[in-house]
Amino acid sequence: MESTESSYVSSPEAARNRSPPPSQSPSSENLEKPTFIRFLVSNTAAGSVIGKGGSTITEFQSKSGARIQLSRNHELFPGTSDRIVMVSGTIDEVLKAVELVLAKLLNELNTEDNDDVEPRTKVRLIVPNSSCGSIIGKGGATIKSFIEDSQAGIKISPQDNNFYGLNDRLVTVAGTLDEQMQAIDLILSKLCEDPHYAQAMHAPFSYAGIFFSGFHGIPYAYVLPSVATATYNSISYAANGAGRKFQNHKEDRSSSVTIGVSDEHVGLVLGRGGRNIMEISQVSGARIKISDRGDFMSGTNDRKVTITGSHRAIRQAESMIMQKVAYATEKVTN
């Protein structure tokens, strides 16, 4: 999904030679209006945000005045293995809460890496498709000005047609914490001017009505170059199921599908000590087996990843695997 993003990224050299200008202030009317922002965190990061017995999230709410909600551990953004954080309140309250959350996650990252250099990290915001135009602006003018003002990299994903009913897009903001917060301030202030955005505040966390529809007319290479294209042939379908890969009455039947993941990316699927593959299996309910080294899909250098379970479990596991590789591929290309 993210490999097809519309990208507006300023060069690091230009960023280093600029001093950040003051952020654009929203109108006083918008300052007091209730608003919200949603973004993604991994399951592990969600635990850090919540804290023991909810202590951390309670502290962040008290300090910021905002309300912070997390989706349940099985309620993930379609096509990812990430949970959803929603922060609501006035603009100032929301920005304060977001900064507390991102600073917490950044602090843990610094502890793990033991690096004195402030890292450039990414946060993925969820924005309704109907509101993305206001962020982009005519000819991309608005988003380019946001990049110039914040010195952050900003990418807006295209509408993902692989999930029926999904009306949200991901806006990836990359940079240091200060750069990210300036960019989020600019983005949120702009969204507050859009009357349609406020209406999405009461949308449910769950994407239960949205399901993976397969890549009708779109080869895997368009979304994820390292995933083989002919893998769905191993699923059996009813004779009347041509062109309708996922049938409701077959959701609970167990079957298998084998997909190909390039040898260099198998480690991303496995994770350290098998952590990623265990998480994918636990969240999706599918069993996942990766072929031995040298055992490739015919005619490729892709290892075989066999996913077994209900059709629902298979498509969720496959989607999570694709996202692991796509995210890493994006980091390399950036």
Short mmCIF file of all heavy atoms in Angstrom, two decimals, residues 183-218:
data_model
loop_
_atom_site.label_atom_id
_atom_site.label_comp_id
_atom_site.label_asym_id
_atom_site.label_seq_id
_atom_site.Cartn_x
_atom_site.Cartn_y
_atom_site.Cartn_z
N ALA A 183 4.73 19.35 11.84
CA ALA A 183 3.94 18.90 10.70
C ALA A 183 2.53 18.50 11.13
O ALA A 183 1.54 18.84 10.47
CB ALA A 183 4.63 17.71 10.02
N ILE A 184 2.41 17.80 12.25
CA ILE A 184 1.10 17.38 12.74
C ILE A 184 0.26 18.59 13.12
O ILE A 184 -0.95 18.63 12.88
CB ILE A 184 1.26 16.40 13.92
CG1 ILE A 184 1.87 15.08 13.44
CG2 ILE A 184 -0.10 16.13 14.60
CD1 ILE A 184 2.29 14.15 14.56
N ASP A 185 0.90 19.60 13.70
CA ASP A 185 0.21 20.84 14.06
C ASP A 185 -0.38 21.48 12.78
O ASP A 185 -1.56 21.87 12.73
CB ASP A 185 1.21 21.79 14.72
CG ASP A 185 0.55 23.07 15.28
OD1 ASP A 185 -0.63 23.33 14.95
OD2 ASP A 185 1.21 23.79 16.04
N LEU A 186 0.42 21.58 11.74
CA LEU A 186 -0.04 22.18 10.48
C LEU A 186 -1.16 21.35 9.85
O LEU A 186 -2.17 21.90 9.38
CB LEU A 186 1.14 22.29 9.50
CG LEU A 186 2.24 23.29 9.88
CD1 LEU A 186 3.49 23.05 9.05
CD2 LEU A 186 1.74 24.72 9.71
N ILE A 187 -0.98 20.04 9.85
CA ILE A 187 -1.99 19.16 9.25
C ILE A 187 -3.31 19.24 10.01
O ILE A 187 -4.38 19.40 9.42
CB ILE A 187 -1.47 17.70 9.21
CG1 ILE A 187 -0.34 17.58 8.19
CG2 ILE A 187 -2.59 16.73 8.87
CD1 ILE A 187 0.43 16.26 8.26
N LEU A 188 -3.23 19.13 11.33
CA LEU A 188 -4.45 19.14 12.13
C LEU A 188 -5.16 20.49 12.04
O LEU A 188 -6.40 20.55 11.96
CB LEU A 188 -4.14 18.80 13.59
CG LEU A 188 -5.34 18.70 14.54
CD1 LEU A 188 -6.34 17.65 14.04
CD2 LEU A 188 -4.88 18.37 15.96
N SER A 189 -4.39 21.57 12.05
CA SER A 189 -5.00 22.90 11.92
C SER A 189 -5.75 23.03 10.61
O SER A 189 -6.84 23.62 10.55
CB SER A 189 -3.93 23.99 12.03
OG SER A 189 -3.30 23.95 13.29
N LYS A 190 -5.18 22.47 9.55
CA LYS A 190 -5.85 22.50 8.25
C LYS A 190 -7.10 21.63 8.25
O LYS A 190 -8.15 22.01 7.71
CB LYS A 190 -4.87 22.01 7.16
CG LYS A 190 -5.36 22.28 5.74
CD LYS A 190 -5.39 23.78 5.46
CE LYS A 190 -5.81 24.09 4.05
NZ LYS A 190 -5.91 25.54 3.81
N LEU A 191 -7.01 20.46 8.86
CA LEU A 191 -8.16 19.56 8.92
C LEU A 191 -9.32 20.19 9.70
O LEU A 191 -10.49 19.94 9.39
CB LEU A 191 -7.76 18.22 9.55
CG LEU A 191 -6.85 17.32 8.71
CD1 LEU A 191 -6.39 16.12 9.53
CD2 LEU A 191 -7.57 16.86 7.44
N CYS A 192 -8.99 20.97 10.70
CA CYS A 192 -10.04 21.61 11.51
C CYS A 192 -10.87 22.60 10.70
O CYS A 192 -11.98 22.96 11.11
CB CYS A 192 -9.43 22.31 12.73
SG CYS A 192 -8.88 21.16 14.01
N GLU A 193 -10.32 23.06 9.58
CA GLU A 193 -11.07 23.97 8.72
C GLU A 193 -12.05 23.22 7.83
O GLU A 193 -12.89 23.85 7.18
CB GLU A 193 -10.08 24.78 7.85
CG GLU A 193 -9.12 25.64 8.65
CD GLU A 193 -8.05 26.26 7.76
OE1 GLU A 193 -8.14 26.09 6.52
OE2 GLU A 193 -7.13 26.91 8.30
N ASP A 194 -11.92 21.91 7.78
CA ASP A 194 -12.76 21.08 6.91
C ASP A 194 -13.96 20.56 7.69
O ASP A 194 -13.80 19.76 8.62
CB ASP A 194 -11.92 19.92 6.37
CG ASP A 194 -12.73 18.99 5.47
OD1 ASP A 194 -13.90 19.29 5.18
OD2 ASP A 194 -12.18 17.95 5.07
N PRO A 195 -15.18 20.99 7.37
CA PRO A 195 -16.36 20.54 8.12
C PRO A 195 -16.58 19.03 8.04
O PRO A 195 -17.15 18.44 8.96
CB PRO A 195 -17.52 21.30 7.47
CG PRO A 195 -17.01 21.73 6.12
CD PRO A 195 -15.53 21.91 6.28
N HIS A 196 -16.12 18.40 6.96
CA HIS A 196 -16.30 16.96 6.83
C HIS A 196 -15.44 16.20 7.84
O HIS A 196 -15.80 15.10 8.26
CB HIS A 196 -15.94 16.50 5.41
CG HIS A 196 -16.81 17.11 4.35
ND1 HIS A 196 -18.15 16.81 4.24
CD2 HIS A 196 -16.54 18.00 3.37
CE1 HIS A 196 -18.67 17.48 3.24
NE2 HIS A 196 -17.71 18.23 2.69
N TYR A 197 -14.30 16.79 8.20
CA TYR A 197 -13.39 16.08 9.10
C TYR A 197 -14.01 15.88 10.49
O TYR A 197 -13.89 14.81 11.08
CB TYR A 197 -12.07 16.86 9.23
CG TYR A 197 -11.04 16.16 10.09
CD1 TYR A 197 -10.42 14.99 9.66
CD2 TYR A 197 -10.69 16.66 11.35
CE1 TYR A 197 -9.48 14.35 10.44
CE2 TYR A 197 -9.75 16.03 12.13
CZ TYR A 197 -9.14 14.87 11.68
OH TYR A 197 -8.21 14.24 12.46
N ALA A 198 -14.68 16.91 10.98
CA ALA A 198 -15.29 16.82 12.31
C ALA A 198 -16.32 15.70 12.38
O ALA A 198 -16.51 15.07 13.43
CB ALA A 198 -15.93 18.15 12.68
N GLN A 199 -16.98 15.44 11.26
CA GLN A 199 -18.01 14.40 11.24
C GLN A 199 -17.42 13.01 11.45
O GLN A 199 -18.13 12.09 11.88
CB GLN A 199 -18.76 14.44 9.91
CG GLN A 199 -19.53 15.74 9.68
CD GLN A 199 -20.07 15.84 8.26
OE1 GLN A 199 -20.00 14.89 7.48
NE2 GLN A 199 -20.61 17.01 7.92
N ALA A 200 -16.15 12.84 11.15
CA ALA A 200 -15.51 11.53 11.30
C ALA A 200 -15.09 11.23 12.73
O ALA A 200 -14.62 10.14 13.03
CB ALA A 200 -14.28 11.44 10.38
N MET A 201 -15.28 12.20 13.63
CA MET A 201 -14.84 12.02 15.01
C MET A 201 -15.55 10.85 15.69
O MET A 201 -14.99 10.18 16.56
CB MET A 201 -15.07 13.30 15.82
CG MET A 201 -14.50 13.24 17.24
SD MET A 201 -14.89 14.69 18.25
CE MET A 201 -14.13 15.99 17.31
N HIS A 202 -16.79 10.62 15.29
CA HIS A 202 -17.59 9.59 15.95
C HIS A 202 -17.61 8.27 15.19
O HIS A 202 -18.39 7.38 15.50
CB HIS A 202 -19.02 10.10 16.15
CG HIS A 202 -19.08 11.42 16.88
ND1 HIS A 202 -18.70 11.54 18.19
CD2 HIS A 202 -19.43 12.66 16.45
CE1 HIS A 202 -18.84 12.81 18.56
NE2 HIS A 202 -19.28 13.51 17.52
N ALA A 203 -16.73 8.15 14.19
CA ALA A 203 -16.64 6.88 13.47
C ALA A 203 -16.07 5.82 14.39
O ALA A 203 -15.20 6.09 15.22
CB ALA A 203 -15.73 7.05 12.24
N PRO A 204 -16.55 4.59 14.31
CA PRO A 204 -16.06 3.53 15.21
C PRO A 204 -14.62 3.14 14.90
O PRO A 204 -14.15 3.31 13.77
CB PRO A 204 -17.02 2.36 14.91
CG PRO A 204 -17.51 2.61 13.53
CD PRO A 204 -17.58 4.10 13.38
N PHE A 205 -13.93 2.64 15.93
CA PHE A 205 -12.57 2.15 15.74
C PHE A 205 -12.54 0.97 14.77
O PHE A 205 -11.67 0.84 13.94
CB PHE A 205 -12.00 1.66 17.07
CG PHE A 205 -11.27 2.72 17.83
CD1 PHE A 205 -11.48 2.88 19.18
CD2 PHE A 205 -10.37 3.55 17.20
CE1 PHE A 205 -10.81 3.84 19.90
CE2 PHE A 205 -9.68 4.52 17.91
CZ PHE A 205 -9.90 4.66 19.26
N SER A 206 -13.50 0.09 14.95
CA SER A 206 -13.47 -1.18 14.24
C SER A 206 -13.65 -0.99 12.74
O SER A 206 -14.46 -0.19 12.29
CB SER A 206 -14.55 -2.11 14.78
OG SER A 206 -14.62 -3.29 14.03
N TYR A 207 -12.88 -1.75 11.98
CA TYR A 207 -13.05 -1.79 10.53
C TYR A 207 -13.68 -3.13 10.14
O TYR A 207 -13.33 -3.74 9.14
CB TYR A 207 -11.69 -1.63 9.82
CG TYR A 207 -11.16 -0.22 9.88
CD1 TYR A 207 -10.41 0.22 10.97
CD2 TYR A 207 -11.41 0.67 8.86
CE1 TYR A 207 -9.91 1.52 11.02
CE2 TYR A 207 -10.91 1.98 8.90
CZ TYR A 207 -10.17 2.39 9.98
OH TYR A 207 -9.68 3.67 10.03
N ALA A 208 -14.63 -3.57 10.99
CA ALA A 208 -15.21 -4.90 10.82
C ALA A 208 -15.92 -5.07 9.49
O ALA A 208 -15.98 -6.16 8.95
CB ALA A 208 -16.19 -5.18 11.96
N GLY A 209 -16.49 -4.01 8.94
CA GLY A 209 -17.22 -4.12 7.69
C GLY A 209 -16.34 -4.06 6.46
O GLY A 209 -16.82 -4.06 5.33
N ILE A 210 -15.03 -4.00 6.68
CA ILE A 210 -14.09 -3.86 5.57
C ILE A 210 -13.32 -5.16 5.42
O ILE A 210 -12.85 -5.72 6.40
CB ILE A 210 -13.13 -2.69 5.84
CG1 ILE A 210 -13.93 -1.39 5.84
CG2 ILE A 210 -12.00 -2.64 4.84
CD1 ILE A 210 -13.21 -0.24 6.43
N PHE A 211 -13.22 -5.67 4.20
CA PHE A 211 -12.49 -6.92 4.04
C PHE A 211 -11.61 -6.87 2.80
O PHE A 211 -11.85 -6.11 1.87
CB PHE A 211 -13.45 -8.11 3.96
CG PHE A 211 -14.40 -8.07 2.80
CD1 PHE A 211 -14.07 -8.69 1.60
CD2 PHE A 211 -15.61 -7.41 2.90
CE1 PHE A 211 -14.95 -8.65 0.53
CE2 PHE A 211 -16.49 -7.37 1.82
CZ PHE A 211 -16.16 -7.99 0.63
N PHE A 212 -10.57 -7.69 2.86
CA PHE A 212 -9.59 -7.76 1.80
C PHE A 212 -10.24 -8.39 0.57
O PHE A 212 -10.82 -9.46 0.64
CB PHE A 212 -8.41 -8.60 2.27
CG PHE A 212 -7.28 -8.67 1.29
CD1 PHE A 212 -6.57 -7.52 0.97
CD2 PHE A 212 -6.91 -9.87 0.70
CE1 PHE A 212 -5.52 -7.57 0.08
CE2 PHE A 212 -5.86 -9.92 -0.19
CZ PHE A 212 -5.16 -8.78 -0.49
N SER A 213 -10.17 -7.72 -0.55
CA SER A 213 -10.89 -8.17 -1.74
C SER A 213 -9.99 -8.82 -2.78
O SER A 213 -10.45 -9.18 -3.84
CB SER A 213 -11.60 -6.97 -2.38
OG SER A 213 -10.65 -5.99 -2.76
N GLY A 214 -8.71 -8.95 -2.49
CA GLY A 214 -7.79 -9.47 -3.49
C GLY A 214 -7.36 -8.36 -4.42
O GLY A 214 -7.80 -7.22 -4.30
N PHE A 215 -6.52 -8.67 -5.36
CA PHE A 215 -5.97 -7.65 -6.24
C PHE A 215 -6.59 -7.80 -7.62
O PHE A 215 -5.98 -8.28 -8.56
CB PHE A 215 -4.44 -7.78 -6.30
CG PHE A 215 -3.80 -7.47 -5.00
CD1 PHE A 215 -3.70 -8.44 -4.01
CD2 PHE A 215 -3.35 -6.19 -4.72
CE1 PHE A 215 -3.13 -8.14 -2.80
CE2 PHE A 215 -2.78 -5.90 -3.50
CZ PHE A 215 -2.67 -6.87 -2.54
N HIS A 216 -7.87 -7.44 -7.74
CA HIS A 216 -8.57 -7.59 -9.01
C HIS A 216 -7.99 -6.62 -10.03
O HIS A 216 -8.17 -5.42 -9.94
CB HIS A 216 -10.07 -7.33 -8.82
CG HIS A 216 -10.69 -8.24 -7.81
ND1 HIS A 216 -10.71 -9.61 -7.98
CD2 HIS A 216 -11.29 -8.00 -6.62
CE1 HIS A 216 -11.33 -10.16 -6.94
NE2 HIS A 216 -11.67 -9.20 -6.10
N GLY A 217 -7.30 -7.17 -11.01
CA GLY A 217 -6.73 -6.34 -12.07
C GLY A 217 -5.46 -5.63 -11.67
O GLY A 217 -4.91 -4.88 -12.45
N ILE A 218 -4.98 -5.83 -10.45
CA ILE A 218 -3.75 -5.17 -10.02
C ILE A 218 -2.76 -6.24 -9.60
O ILE A 218 -3.00 -6.96 -8.63
CB ILE A 218 -4.01 -4.23 -8.81
CG1 ILE A 218 -5.10 -3.22 -9.15
CG2 ILE A 218 -2.73 -3.52 -8.40
CD1 ILE A 218 -5.48 -2.35 -7.98
#
